[in-house]
Amino acid sequence: MLSKSQIKLVNSLKHKKFRQKHQLFIVEGVKVIKEILKSNLEVEALFATVDLFSFNSENFYLISETDLAKISALSTPQIALALVKIPNNKINVHQQNSLTVALDGVRDPGNLGTIIRLCDWFDVSTLICSPDTVDCYNPKVVQATMGSLVRVDIVYEDLNQVLTQTNLPIYGAFMNAEPIYSTYLERNGILVMGNEANGISTEIENLITHKISIPKFGSAEVESLNVATATSIMLSEFKRNQFTEK
Amino acid sequence: MLSKSQIKLVNSLKHKKFRQKHQLFIVEGVKVIKEILKSNLEVEALFATVDLFSFNSENFYLISETDLAKISALSTPQIALALVKIPNNKINVHQQNSLTVALDGVRDPGNLGTIIRLCDWFDVSTLICSPDTVDCYNPKVVQATMGSLVRVDIVYEDLNQVLTQTNLPIYGAFMNAEPIYSTYLERNGILVMGNEANGISTEIENLITHKISIPKFGSAEVESLNVATATSIMLSEFKRNQFTEK
């Protein structure tokens, strides 16, 4: 059975302030938790209605479905919920030898989750988020990543500082710039994607060395692509050369 | 002021059964409604808290914010709500002279909305949905299309019937097939995208003439791309040749 203080702790982690205070985040679902147990991430506690895990610890709690519903952030709770320690990722942009993605103020949890999954698919090992980007340990983001959160190193850093320190080409997605289809895209660089409504901020725009666009083929009225779909097309373009050169 | 029967009618349209009975759907937001008023779609009634429209009709209703909240499907109602007649789109696949997209059982409203917006961007004028694809007049889909619903012809048809009647190449997205980067993609064809969890159904798979895949560059553990991001990459690949040939 869950104690009142456990219920209070888990529910507090739905808020960023308490995730930062306790340095913990919530992960739900058997499959993702199994992946986390195999990864470098540290599981602080595991609550489940069935013991499907080889988690030999006094911090494993077999609980009822009623108790799981009290702590789950999902409308349909999924057998297990883990409290995981927030990893202390560090990056050195200069030492990257592949493409890095940087997000400037992406606010929607679903978009961030989708972008993390795309980084995993396209072998982008590091994702740099501006401090005003939605927290990647928000339960909605964690759920949308479908486990990819484990495999992508995510850091929150002042983009201005990171980008002024690098000699790598810095690509930025804009509405009317050089079409990606005819731009030579370096393997080793940084791709900056902007906020859903306002795009890349002026401060960061000044640091972009290559402004690129996804050409529009359709009607003049369609204003923009969603940031997650635009990121998917950009990443596919960056990687396709690598594929066709093989 | 709104009558009880108006409130009942609008709220009933949140359900597919009543949208089909009344042949009406709900559109919210000033910008989208203005686009609809300029389009071929027919507005049956318009409710707004401010008159920002040149809609000269006895079916314009200036209402209070309280009344708007009673009929809106949004958590934050957006000034105006229109009842729009469901258009009677007809397609003839054989007469298409560009790419057509067909969806086999896409269930998530956000995914369908994003795909409609992508069709608009990439000049795909016709979208064929299997009967078990989520209804494109579902308020969540309408909201996610950001106005693109007006510019893409969407039909619900038995895919088996449509695909057996065509001589066009039929491309289908699968997990392990010919990489899109090295496949010659015809301008004139049909691209089939499958259900979020199960992909393209076996019945439809048998009709696919070209099975294609988006290569995975990252870790073995990442299982799939979201159907909307996969569609964005596919459409970009189909159209990029057209761009680079220009």
Side-chain angles (χ1 to χ4, degrees):
Chain A
M1 212 178 110
L2 286 174
S3 68
K4 273 192 182 169
S5 68
Q6 283 174 320
I7 296 173
K8 198 177 159 194
L9 170 68
V10 179
N11 281 304
S12 79
L13 300 176
K14 291 165 192 167
H15 305 281
K16 185 176 173 182
K17 182 180 152 190
F18 293 102
R19 288 195 293 274
Q20 292 192 325
K21 181 181 168 191
H22 299 291
Q23 287 294 301
L24 291 173
F25 67 102
I26 300 169
V27 178
E28 301 195 59
V30 174
K31 195 161 156 285
V32 183
I33 293 173
K34 282 190 172 176
E35 285 190 40
I36 285 181
L37 288 171
K38 281 189 292 181
S39 78
N40 291 328
L41 290 175
E42 213 175 311
V43 174
E44 171 95 358
L46 177 51
F47 306 92
T49 57
V50 190
D51 186 3
L52 302 167
F53 308 91
S54 45
F55 183 66
N56 296 318
S57 159
E58 60 183 18
N59 294 324
F60 176 78
Y61 301 90
L62 198 62
I63 61 171
S64 66
E65 287 183 18
T66 316
D67 271 353
L68 183 61
K70 284 181 194 160
I71 53 175
S72 173
L74 305 172
S75 50
T76 315
Q78 293 180 18
I79 298 171
L81 182 152
L83 302 189
V84 183
K85 285 197 182 157
I86 290 179
N88 189 14
N89 294 327
K90 294 268 177 217
I91 55 138
N92 184 334
V93 170
H94 315 287
Q95 290 181 344
Q96 300 288 316
N97 57 2
S98 69
L99 186 67
T100 294
V101 172
L103 302 180
D104 184 17
V106 168
R107 300 296 168 87
D108 180 77
N111 283 339
L112 178 57
T114 305
I115 291 169
I116 294 169
R117 199 168 156 196
L118 284 166
C119 286
D120 195 14
W121 184 274
F122 283 108
D123 199 24
V124 170
S125 56
T126 306
L127 178 65
I128 309 171
C129 300
S130 64
D132 61 344
T133 291
V134 57
D135 181 25
C136 68
Y137 301 110
N138 172 319
K140 283 183 196 161
V141 177
V142 176
Q143 222 54 36
T145 66
M146 309 277 284
S148 291
L149 189 69
V150 177
R151 293 180 294 267
V152 179
D153 287 339
I154 306 167
V155 289
Y156 284 76
E157 298 274 358
D158 181 330
L159 288 192
N160 198 333
Q161 210 165 4
V162 172
L163 298 179
T164 40
Q165 280 169 7
T166 185
N167 293 317
L168 293 173
I170 304 169
Y171 297 89
F174 290 87
M175 282 306 293
N176 292 298
E178 183 75 15
I180 38 166
Y181 304 133
S182 50
T183 306
Y184 180 75
L185 304 168
E186 299 273 357
R187 280 193 186 199
N188 200 352
I190 299 173
L191 169 64
V192 184
M193 302 296 298
N195 168 268
E196 287 88 347
N198 309 313
I200 294 172
S201 60
T202 317
E203 185 192 17
I204 300 304
E205 182 175 353
N206 295 328
L207 302 168
I208 303 290
T209 58
H210 300 71
K211 293 188 181 181
I212 52 177
S213 281
I214 300 165
K216 175 161 67 180
F217 295 85
S219 59
E221 287 85 359
V222 52
E223 279 188 355
S224 65
L225 289 169
N226 162 284
V227 65
T229 52
T231 304
S232 70
I233 295 167
M234 292 278 178
L235 291 182
S236 174
E237 280 297 318
F238 269 90
K239 294 291 175 169
R240 79 188 302 287
N241 295 337
Q242 193 172 320
F243 185 88
T244 48
E245 279 166 17
K246 263 179 196 162
Chain B
M1 213 180 109
L2 284 175
S3 69
K4 274 193 180 170
S5 67
Q6 282 173 320
I7 296 173
K8 197 178 160 194
L9 170 67
V10 179
N11 281 304
S12 80
L13 300 177
K14 290 165 192 167
H15 305 281
K16 184 175 172 182
K17 181 180 154 189
F18 293 101
R19 287 195 293 275
Q20 292 192 325
K21 181 180 167 191
H22 299 291
Q23 287 293 301
L24 290 173
F25 67 102
I26 300 169
V27 177
E28 301 195 59
V30 174
K31 196 161 155 284
V32 183
I33 293 173
K34 282 190 173 175
E35 287 190 40
I36 285 182
L37 288 170
K38 282 189 293 180
S39 79
N40 291 328
L41 290 174
E42 213 175 312
V43 174
E44 173 94 359
L46 177 50
F47 306 93
T49 57
V50 190
D51 186 2
L52 302 167
F53 308 91
S54 45
F55 182 68
N56 295 317
S57 158
E58 59 183 17
N59 294 325
F60 176 78
Y61 301 91
L62 198 61
I63 62 171
S64 66
E65 286 182 19
T66 316
D67 272 353
L68 183 61
K70 284 181 193 158
I71 53 174
S72 174
L74 303 173
S75 50
T76 315
Q78 293 180 19
I79 298 169
L81 183 153
L83 302 189
V84 182
K85 285 197 181 158
I86 291 179
N88 188 14
N89 294 328
K90 294 267 177 220
I91 55 139
N92 184 334
V93 170
H94 316 288
Q95 291 180 345
Q96 299 292 314
N97 56 0
S98 69
L99 186 67
T100 294
V101 172
L103 302 180
D104 185 17
V106 168
R107 300 296 167 85
D108 180 78
N111 284 338
L112 179 57
T114 305
I115 291 170
I116 294 169
R117 199 168 155 197
L118 284 166
C119 287
D120 195 13
W121 185 274
F122 284 108
D123 199 24
V124 170
S125 57
T126 307
L127 178 66
I128 309 171
C129 300
S130 65
D132 61 346
T133 291
V134 57
D135 181 26
C136 68
Y137 301 110
N138 173 319
K140 283 183 196 161
V141 177
V142 176
Q143 223 54 34
T145 66
M146 309 278 284
S148 290
L149 189 70
V150 177
R151 293 180 294 267
V152 179
D153 288 340
I154 305 168
V155 291
Y156 283 76
E157 297 274 358
D158 181 330
L159 286 194
N160 198 335
Q161 209 166 6
V162 172
L163 299 179
T164 40
Q165 281 169 4
T166 184
N167 292 318
L168 292 173
I170 303 170
Y171 298 89
F174 291 87
M175 281 306 294
N176 291 299
E178 182 77 15
I180 38 163
Y181 303 133
S182 51
T183 306
Y184 180 76
L185 305 168
E186 300 271 356
R187 281 192 187 201
N188 200 351
I190 299 173
L191 169 64
V192 184
M193 301 298 297
N195 169 268
E196 287 88 346
N198 308 315
I200 294 172
S201 60
T202 316
E203 185 192 18
I204 300 303
E205 182 175 351
N206 295 329
L207 302 169
I208 303 291
T209 58
H210 300 71
K211 293 187 181 181
I212 51 176
S213 282
I214 299 166
K216 174 161 68 180
F217 295 85
S219 60
E221 287 84 2
V222 51
E223 280 188 356
S224 65
L225 288 169
N226 161 285
V227 65
T229 53
T231 305
S232 70
I233 295 167
M234 292 278 179
L235 292 181
S236 175
E237 279 297 317
F238 269 90
K239 294 290 174 166
R240 80 188 303 284
N241 294 337
Q242 192 171 323
F243 185 88
T244 48
E245 280 166 15
K246 262 179 196 164

